[in-house]
Amino acid sequence: MTETSRLPLSSSIRGKLISAGYTSLSSISSVSSTDLARDVNITEAEAFDILKLVNQISGSNGSSSLINGAKNAWDMLHEEESLPRITTSCSDLDSILGGGISCRDVTEIGGVPGIGKTQIGIQLSVNVQIPRECGGLGGKAIYIDTEGSFMVERALQIAEACVEDMEEYTGYMHKHFKANQVQMKPNDILENIFYFRVCSYTEQIALVNHLDKFISENKDVKVVIVDSITFHFRQDFDDLAQRTRVLSEMALKFMKLAKKFSLAVVLLNQVTTKYTEGSFQLALALGDSWSHSCTNRVILYWNGDERYAYIDKSPSLPSASASYTITSRGLRNSSSSSKRVKMM
Amino acid sequence: MKPQNLGRQSPTSRKLTTGCEIIDGCLRGGFPCNSLTEIVAESGCGKTQLCLQLSLCAQLPISHGGLDGSALYLHSEFPFPFRRLHQLSRSFHQSNPSIYANHNDNPCDHVFVQNVNSVDHLFDIMPRIDAFVGNTKNRFPLKLIVLDSVAALFRSEFDNTPSDLRKRASLFFKISGKLKQLANNFDLAVVITNQVTDLVESSDGLSGLRIGNLRYLYSSGRRVVPALGLAWANCVNSRFFISRSNETICKENDESGRSSVSIRAQRRLEIVFSPHLPGSSCEFKITPEGICELQA
């Protein structure tokens, strides 16, 4: 990051400055406005403004922003582009998600029972551990199980398939180094999933409050999965306003965790029927106010005999759908979509 | 709060055998502990038969696929088939002579039966199960809870109005939450049976809502859906469906030249959804000795 790129200027001028070699503040302030205008190919008035700005900033001890800690959108874009994404092991799904589940965001995934929510949860908790050499994050996972659907034998099965795939990949990439590579074992993958079984909503709230401390102690946690956020909140809540308050507080905490530790939060949600305009429609559970709580929202549904994922809400991705399938090895591309490609 | 270490746990959760090799194979060992499993079927498919057999199998030693424990059978469909349980236990006793060689135990001694008349009654009973599990006067700790059936508790008491349906859904989650808590605290297997309703095609399209691997569920030639709707489907970890179809077998009678027609019920167990099992199915039959595989 150069000093120039932090200047509050339009991106085109900043780009010109950097490409002309003016990367530090001192390099700019040492030239005259005429020279600067010629070198950077801008008008002299613009160059004068830049010099004024630079002098102002270097005079006031180099703090470039009005409010401490504020960032401009350009920097944030760069940061966002450099953020890793967690692959879902299904390339069609990855491509509509812009490369996978994004870190720093809260992503909600919902669908009917048996559509594969838990399978996606287990897959992500395994995939987050793919080492950096193989294009992964090399992180750890927190799995919060409220429903009791996490099966160790299934996680092991997916982990085994993942290790096999990685071996194939590294063997293909560096044939000569294969011998001295330290391989991950499926059991190591299980050890790196921090599994919490939560049996009531009070436990769930307490655990979410505790997560900040837990992740501070285990910095390499890169994904938090909650399967499902809903279960305990669909019983014993007569006061729906109170439920909304508790849930939105929880959502804020997740949002904070995601930003603070730049990790991905994945909340799995159930579906329910909603009565609108005289007919029943399917909708994700927990109501309308909850739907504002997550940055991204993915809905899973059946289309004929195929499972589909649809991006319902995202600030940066276009709404799109992709088919996926669940195999013994985990989440994969739907076989019919690859057939279709071959036929074309 | 400390996370559980998954690496140190045994890679496969404990399973309760059904006593039928084919079904066990299909379910990778049987009904899982620390999980809620639902069996959906119309009447006469063998839900209760399977549950009775599971209650007996729970007392088998772990080496035989059992849980070394006793069973609690909560029944809301009357009357409870004591006669059938007795019949099954006799053949169970005979087929496992090694286990009962030393003592003159009756397998029925380790199946506890409790009737449930209403939802409120169930909520009265469930908190007492904690104490019941803790009370280890029995030779076997409690390892299996059967609720046969959940549908019978709900099908009479509630209207089809939005407020009643919401109240009902909240009760589903409460029952499921409590049972899952018991399952988790004591590593129990929980098996719940559910009835079906015929599917009537309607304009809103929701009655055809697909849940799980199977696009349509057929039993006795009719399209059916599990009772209690979408809300209840969210409450269980696994859902199995038993379908029944009658197969007519014609036998040529050589002596008189006439053919006799006999009807054989084909029963098939299908996995609708389950976190650890792929969609598959298997056939079984019900004999006086219990549920067993078809002979090839």
Side-chain angles (χ1 to χ4, degrees):
Chain A
M1 186 76 63
T2 61
E3 282 178 309
T4 311
S5 63
R6 250 180 262 136
L7 286 174
L9 294 167
S10 78
S11 56
S12 64
I13 290 185
R14 211 165 34 195
K16 281 178 186 168
L17 279 171
I18 293 170
S19 57
Y22 291 103
T23 52
S24 67
L25 292 182
S26 55
S27 68
I28 300 174
S29 58
S30 63
V31 294
S32 70
S33 59
T34 331
D35 288 345
L36 188 66
R38 199 189 55 237
D39 284 352
V40 186
N41 195 19
I42 50 176
T43 66
E44 201 157 328
E46 280 174 319
F48 186 72
D49 285 340
I50 294 172
L51 281 177
K52 213 164 87 178
L53 185 80
V54 168
N55 286 333
Q56 213 178 1
I57 288 167
S58 39
S60 69
N61 236 350
S63 102
S64 61
S65 48
L66 289 170
I67 303 162
N68 217 3
K71 282 184 275 186
N72 60 26
W74 171 263
D75 292 344
M76 286 165 76
L77 177 69
H78 270 289
E79 264 175 45
E80 200 180 295
E81 278 170 350
S82 65
L83 274 178
R85 283 167 181 271
I86 306 165
T87 173
T88 58
S89 286
C90 166
S91 56
D92 290 345
L93 189 53
D94 278 353
S95 69
I96 65 164
L97 288 167
I101 301 288
S102 68
C103 289
R104 285 196 158 205
D105 276 350
V106 179
T107 305
E108 182 184 20
I109 301 176
V112 291
I115 192 79
K117 300 186 292 290
T118 302
Q119 303 298 320
I120 290 180
I122 296 175
Q123 185 77 57
L124 289 173
S125 64
V126 169
N127 283 359
V128 73
Q129 302 180 41
I130 298 173
R132 283 165 202 275
E133 306 89 73
C134 298
L137 274 76
K140 292 183 179 175
I142 292 179
Y143 199 100
I144 302 173
D145 187 5
T146 66
E147 302 200 1
S149 283
F150 186 92
M151 300 295 272
V152 182
E153 56 184 283
R154 181 64 179 144
L156 187 67
Q157 209 177 20
I158 290 175
E160 276 165 358
C162 180
V163 167
E164 271 173 38
D165 286 351
M166 278 193 299
E167 269 166 9
E168 199 177 304
Y169 176 80
T170 48
Y172 179 73
M173 289 303 281
H174 348 254
K175 272 188 180 130
H176 315 289
F177 305 107
K178 204 190 170 187
N180 46 13
Q181 278 235 329
V182 186
Q183 285 298 333
M184 273 180 103
K185 289 191 191 70
N187 222 42
D188 299 339
I189 292 185
L190 289 186
E191 297 244 358
N192 287 333
I193 300 173
F194 299 109
Y195 174 81
F196 294 91
R197 176 78 172 90
V198 166
C199 281
S200 70
Y201 72 86
T202 41
E203 267 181 58
Q204 190 173 337
I205 294 165
L207 178 60
V208 173
N209 291 342
H210 174 69
L211 277 183
D212 191 284
K213 187 162 172 277
F214 185 85
I215 299 171
S216 307
E217 287 160 9
N218 299 278
K219 285 252 195 264
D220 38 6
V221 168
K222 281 293 159 217
V223 69
V224 177
I225 295 152
V226 187
D227 178 15
S228 64
I229 189 83
T230 334
F231 183 75
H232 295 303
F233 288 91
R234 292 185 75 178
Q235 44 174 318
D236 273 342
F237 267 96
D238 294 328
D239 185 358
L240 285 180
Q242 191 202 356
R243 183 177 91 165
T244 305
R245 281 196 300 278
V246 169
L247 279 168
S248 48
E249 199 187 328
M250 193 180 279
L252 270 181
K253 293 235 165 74
F254 279 125
M255 203 80 86
K256 252 187 215 161
L257 285 176
K259 296 278 182 275
K260 185 171 170 190
F261 301 102
S262 65
L263 49 81
V265 176
V266 179
L267 308 177
L268 304 179
N269 195 357
Q270 302 173 341
V271 289
T272 181
T273 46
K274 188 175 158 187
Y275 190 76
T276 40
E277 290 162 19
S279 69
F280 285 100
Q281 307 257 300
L282 277 188
L284 293 195
L286 301 180
D288 282 336
S289 55
W290 170 258
S291 62
H292 302 291
S293 310
C294 299
T295 320
N296 305 298
R297 197 166 226 210
V298 180
I299 292 176
L300 310 176
Y301 64 98
W302 285 104
N303 183 1
D305 268 334
E306 273 186 293
R307 293 173 159 96
Y308 273 78
Y310 169 75
I311 296 185
D312 186 46
K313 174 189 164 189
S314 166
S316 54
L317 300 166
S319 62
S321 59
S323 66
Y324 65 97
T325 171
I326 292 163
T327 68
S328 59
R329 299 169 69 83
L331 213 66
R332 291 294 182 267
N333 269 349
S334 155
S335 57
S336 66
S337 77
S338 56
K339 255 182 239 154
R340 229 177 283 142
V341 171
K342 268 177 209 156
M343 277 161 68
M344 288 195 293
Chain B
M1 259 178 262
K2 289 232 170 68
Q4 294 170 30
N5 191 328
L6 297 174
R8 271 185 227 141
Q9 283 179 17
S10 75
T12 53
S13 59
R14 279 219 268 165
K15 303 278 173 58
L16 168 60
T17 177
T18 57
C20 162
E21 271 177 46
I22 303 276
I23 297 181
D24 281 356
C26 194
L27 306 183
R28 303 221 172 122
F31 284 69
C33 285
N34 192 0
S35 190
L36 238 69
T37 310
E38 183 193 28
I39 305 170
V40 181
E42 64 169 335
S43 62
C45 284
K47 299 189 291 281
T48 303
Q49 300 295 322
L50 187 53
C51 290
L52 290 173
Q53 189 151 326
L54 284 170
S55 310
L56 290 171
C57 286
Q59 54 192 281
L60 286 173
I62 288 163
S63 57
H64 287 62
L67 299 173
D68 229 341
S70 58
L72 175 64
Y73 200 108
L74 305 170
H75 70 105
S76 60
E77 291 182 9
F78 296 90
F80 181 79
F82 286 107
R83 210 178 281 253
R84 178 63 176 147
L85 180 64
H86 195 63
Q87 189 186 17
L88 284 174
S89 82
R90 255 190 320 233
S91 59
F92 183 75
H93 196 288
Q94 278 159 18
S95 54
N96 296 289
S98 55
I99 299 154
Y100 298 101
N102 298 328
H103 41 80
N104 232 345
D105 257 3
N106 186 343
C108 283
D109 288 349
H110 307 293
V111 180
F112 300 95
V113 179
Q114 165 76 51
N115 64 316
V116 184
N117 303 316
S118 66
V119 179
D120 290 336
H121 192 192
L122 182 63
F123 283 119
D124 279 348
I125 292 166
M126 283 199 292
R128 285 193 271 137
I129 297 176
D130 285 282
F132 184 75
V133 178
N135 176 9
T136 44
K137 270 186 217 155
N138 320 309
R139 192 159 66 85
F140 290 123
L142 187 68
K143 279 290 165 200
L144 169 71
I145 297 176
V146 176
L147 176 57
D148 182 20
S149 69
V150 67
L153 292 174
F154 284 97
R155 287 189 106 170
S156 56
E157 271 185 58
F158 291 87
D159 281 337
N160 198 12
T161 60
S163 72
D164 255 26
L165 285 176
R166 197 159 50 225
K167 209 171 98 196
R168 199 179 77 155
S170 157
L171 290 174
F172 291 160
F173 281 93
K174 210 169 158 187
I175 292 175
S176 158
K178 182 68 191 160
L179 287 174
K180 279 178 180 173
Q181 197 174 4
L182 284 169
N184 184 48
N185 291 353
F186 304 108
D187 199 28
L188 304 175
V190 180
V191 179
I192 299 175
T193 66
N194 191 4
Q195 301 168 351
V196 297
T197 47
D198 277 335
L199 182 70
V200 184
E201 214 60 70
S202 72
S203 55
D204 62 11
L206 268 179
S207 49
L209 174 69
R210 172 170 177 173
I211 293 172
N213 293 316
L214 302 163
R215 201 159 174 189
Y216 306 116
L217 303 177
Y218 282 103
S219 189
S220 299
R222 305 190 317 269
R223 232 182 113 184
V224 296
V225 287
L228 306 185
L230 177 63
W232 173 253
N234 280 314
C235 293
V236 296
N237 295 124
S238 308
R239 170 174 277 179
F240 304 151
F241 175 68
I242 302 176
S243 67
R244 177 190 164 134
S245 56
N246 289 332
E247 196 185 36
T248 341
I249 305 164
C250 294
K251 276 185 192 153
E252 289 285 335
N253 199 324
D254 293 332
E255 287 167 27
S256 60
R258 281 183 299 183
S259 62
S260 67
V261 176
S262 70
I263 293 171
R264 189 176 69 95
Q266 257 187 326
R267 293 183 171 88
R268 178 173 282 278
L269 181 102
E270 292 169 282
I271 295 164
V272 182
F273 62 81
S274 178
H276 65 297
L277 297 171
S280 60
S281 69
C282 62
E283 262 187 70
F284 65 93
K285 67 175 179 181
I286 298 174
T287 64
E289 289 77 39
I291 284 172
C292 64
E293 52 269 30
L294 292 171
Q295 271 93 35

